Amino acid sequence: MSLSYHFTVEQQVGSSTFAFFGFNGTAGVWRITALNESGGWNDQTTVEDMDVAVKSELPCSFNALRSQQHRWTCGPANLFGKMAGQIIRSENVSLWKKQYMLYSFFFMRKVVAHILTFCFYCVILPATVLFPEVTVPKWAAFYLPALITLFIAIGKPRSVYLLVLWVLFENAMSMLRTKALVMGLFETGRVQEWVVTEKLGDGLKTKLIGQVPNEHQVRFRDRVHLLELLLGVYLLFCGCYDIIYGKNTLYLYVYLLMQSTAFFVVGFGFVGK
């Protein structure tokens, strides 16, 4: 659902309106003249895998997916910090497109969206059961996000039955993305570490299925993600507290228990085959 939305909405709409849009690096091709006309190539902006020739393949393991999502979040955030000033000073880009690029494309979608998902749905909303004097409108907590999610998923109707699991999984991955976002903006930690997504490629054609590496062959301690487990405990506590002492009518404990389960699944690495 995420990739279908990216290809059919973000890329096509951005291209048809001659606006900036995110370009997929895997199996993507740039014309050299396009690079030259846009100001040339600079190795300082190598924050994604668009410079590597690889086959188009989805991540083959959960750890590969985590590395990919870290890079997809850290890269744009780092690029935003490096290129914002140059975009503002550019004389070849209209004021409207500068505003769209900096505010809508980078700030809202690459920064605010990740922070909002993690902070609101994984920290603030669960905390409201502990502080009943704090109320969150239903339209902000459920109706508007549900509408946006449906718009994203409508391009892949065959996968609508996975919608609830997808939302829970995306929320569980929001901690990883928020951490990567902070690293990219402030250039800390592994911001310069460029881990290309693991590819199985043609190996599947020559190996028996039983010989293909899988998550169960990885050491248990390498699969465990402590921060996700701690957040799962927090959500579980909030859910149980809401069942015992809750007085609101939002039935938040249903969401909290399901979301805590998702964090435990991610935290213990029980994702994939």
Side-chain angles (χ1 to χ4, degrees):
M1 280 186 271
S2 298
L3 293 178
S4 294
Y5 177 78
H6 171 65
F7 287 122
T8 60
V9 178
E10 292 180 321
Q11 285 198 351
Q12 291 189 19
V13 172
S15 178
S16 62
T17 57
F18 298 98
F20 294 103
F21 64 91
F23 181 75
N24 59 296
T26 305
V29 179
W30 274 87
R31 286 184 294 113
I32 295 179
T33 54
L35 290 174
N36 293 334
E37 291 175 0
S38 64
W41 177 81
N42 191 316
D43 59 358
Q44 290 298 312
T45 63
T46 305
V47 296
E48 257 296 347
D49 57 359
M50 65 178 64
D51 303 305
V52 178
V54 294
K55 293 186 176 182
S56 183
E57 179 183 313
L58 293 176
C60 60
S61 68
F62 182 52
N63 284 335
L65 175 66
R66 286 177 62 88
S67 297
Q68 180 198 67
Q69 294 301 307
H70 179 277
R71 193 179 66 248
W72 283 8
T73 307
C74 181
N78 189 231
L79 192 62
F80 178 44
K82 290 180 177 179
M83 300 297 295
Q86 185 175 340
I87 294 173
I88 294 174
R89 294 189 299 270
S90 175
E91 299 179 356
N92 300 323
V93 181
S94 66
L95 181 61
W96 170 254
K97 288 188 176 182
K98 288 181 182 179
Q99 182 182 5
Y100 166 76
M101 183 67 168
L102 295 175
Y103 177 76
S104 179
F105 181 82
F106 270 124
F107 182 68
M108 292 301 296
R109 291 171 50 203
K110 307 300 183 182
V111 178
V112 173
H114 299 306
I115 296 177
L116 179 64
T117 300
F118 173 68
C119 292
F120 183 73
Y121 287 102
C122 302
V123 179
I124 297 176
L125 188 61
T128 59
V129 304
L130 306 177
F131 304 95
E133 62 273 11
V134 178
T135 59
V136 178
K138 290 184 178 180
W139 64 266
F142 300 106
Y143 299 150
L144 183 59
L147 183 62
I148 295 175
T149 303
L150 287 175
F151 278 138
I152 294 176
I154 200 172
K156 202 71 173 177
R158 292 181 300 174
S159 301
V160 170
Y161 72 98
L162 295 172
L163 198 58
V164 174
L165 294 177
W166 178 56
V167 171
L168 295 175
F169 182 71
E170 287 291 293
N171 288 346
M173 293 292 288
S174 65
M175 171 175 279
L176 172 73
R177 296 187 179 112
T178 302
K179 180 182 176 182
L181 171 69
V182 173
M183 291 173 59
L185 283 176
F186 298 100
E187 296 193 328
T188 61
R190 296 184 295 120
V191 66
Q192 301 298 336
E193 183 180 350
W194 189 24
V195 180
V196 178
T197 307
E198 179 186 358
K199 299 290 194 299
L200 290 182
D202 293 334
L204 289 175
K205 297 179 182 179
T206 57
K207 291 183 179 180
L208 297 175
I209 296 300
Q211 295 176 315
V212 177
N214 59 68
E215 291 295 319
H216 298 290
Q217 295 175 342
V218 180
R219 289 181 302 177
F220 179 76
R221 66 179 183 181
D222 294 332
R223 286 201 332 227
V224 172
H225 307 288
L226 184 59
L227 292 179
E228 279 82 355
L229 291 178
L230 291 176
L231 194 56
V233 172
Y234 165 70
L235 292 170
L236 179 61
F237 171 78
C238 291
C240 295
Y241 187 92
D242 191 37
I243 294 175
I244 300 173
Y245 302 106
K247 297 181 180 180
N248 58 63
T249 59
L250 293 178
Y251 301 103
L252 275 178
Y253 64 86
V254 177
Y255 160 73
L256 294 175
L257 295 180
M258 293 174 64
Q259 191 62 70
S260 67
T261 302
F263 269 99
F264 285 132
V265 170
V266 170
F268 283 115
F270 293 137
V271 179
K273 296 183 179 180

